């Protein structure tokens, strides 16, 4: 029996870190369908992906994200610590403008470390925290398309 992966969007800062994160969550039943590396790319790309399209000009040409929407549109957006509260509020407005409602998970306690490149082990630990938060939201029915809350992980 195969498990249908839960699709989500990842917003980080470094492509290499995004790839490590993607590889850490895949065996646990999650799929990074799209990855952005800046607030500008996030505000441009995330609403497009939530409408069910992969942007044709992937910002920065990164190779992270499966681009697979066969299992539906992303059910959450996961942010690294490099995204501030002002970005989160702007993103929520952009998501609402396309008629979608998905939770946003924001890394807590990142501080100044958010601008430095984490090690692979640190990235895997953060990916595990995100998986736990996503599983909790799924168990609570908060990934069903009617929740636009912001959650720390």
């Amino acid at each position: 029996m195969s498990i249908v992966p839960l699709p989500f969007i990842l917003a980080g800062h470094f492509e290499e870190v995004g790839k490590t994160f993607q590889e850490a969550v895949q065996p646990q039943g999650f799929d990074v369908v799209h990855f952005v590396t800046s607030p500008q790319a996030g505000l441009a790309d995330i609403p497009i992906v939530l409408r069910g399209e992969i942007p044709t000009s992937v910002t920065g040409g990164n190779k992270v994200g499966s681009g697979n929407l066969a299992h539906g549109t992303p059910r959450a957006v996961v942010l690294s610590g490099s995204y501030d509260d002002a970005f989160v509020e702007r993103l929520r407005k952009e998501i609402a403008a396309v008629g979608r409602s998905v939770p946003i998970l924001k890394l807590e306690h990142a501080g100044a470390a958010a601008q430095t490149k984490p090690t692979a082990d640190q990235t895997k630990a953060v990916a595990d925290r995100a998986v736990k938060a996503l599983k909790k939201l799924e168990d609570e029915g908060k990934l069903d398309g009617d929740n636009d809350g912001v959650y720390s992980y």
Side-chain angles (χ1 to χ4, degrees):
M1 179 169 100
S2 67
I3 297 173
V4 175
L6 189 145
F8 69 95
I9 297 169
L10 178 63
H13 194 67
F14 301 101
E15 187 174 336
E16 181 180 327
V17 174
K19 187 72 172 160
T20 300
F21 192 106
Q22 179 180 19
E23 291 167 355
V25 301
Q26 279 179 332
Q28 299 183 66
F30 294 87
D31 181 26
V32 175
V33 296
H34 192 69
F35 178 67
V36 296
T37 58
S38 72
Q40 298 81 9
L43 292 173
D45 288 3
I46 291 171
I48 293 169
V49 178
L50 290 174
R51 282 195 318 253
E53 306 169 33
I54 297 297
T56 54
S57 59
V58 176
T59 309
N62 76 65
K63 307 272 188 284
V64 181
S66 68
N68 183 2
L69 295 174
H71 301 295
T73 56
R75 294 175 51 196
V77 177
V78 176
L79 307 177
S80 74
S82 60
Y83 294 83
D84 62 17
D85 292 338
F87 170 78
V88 172
E89 287 310 310
R90 289 178 61 203
L91 179 60
R92 290 178 82 198
K93 289 177 184 172
E94 293 294 325
I95 291 171
V98 295
R100 290 297 315 272
S101 184
V102 297
I104 298 172
L105 282 72
K106 186 173 184 312
L107 183 62
E108 64 182 17
H109 305 300
Q115 298 303 322
T116 61
K117 189 174 183 180
T119 67
D121 287 341
Q122 290 169 325
T123 301
K124 290 174 187 172
V126 168
D128 285 342
R129 286 170 53 186
V131 164
K132 286 177 187 167
L134 286 165
K135 284 181 179 178
K136 182 175 189 273
L137 291 173
E138 184 175 38
D139 290 345
E140 294 172 353
K142 294 181 177 175
L143 297 179
D144 296 335
D146 59 0
N147 177 14
D148 67 350
V150 178
Y151 302 89
S152 294
Y153 72 96

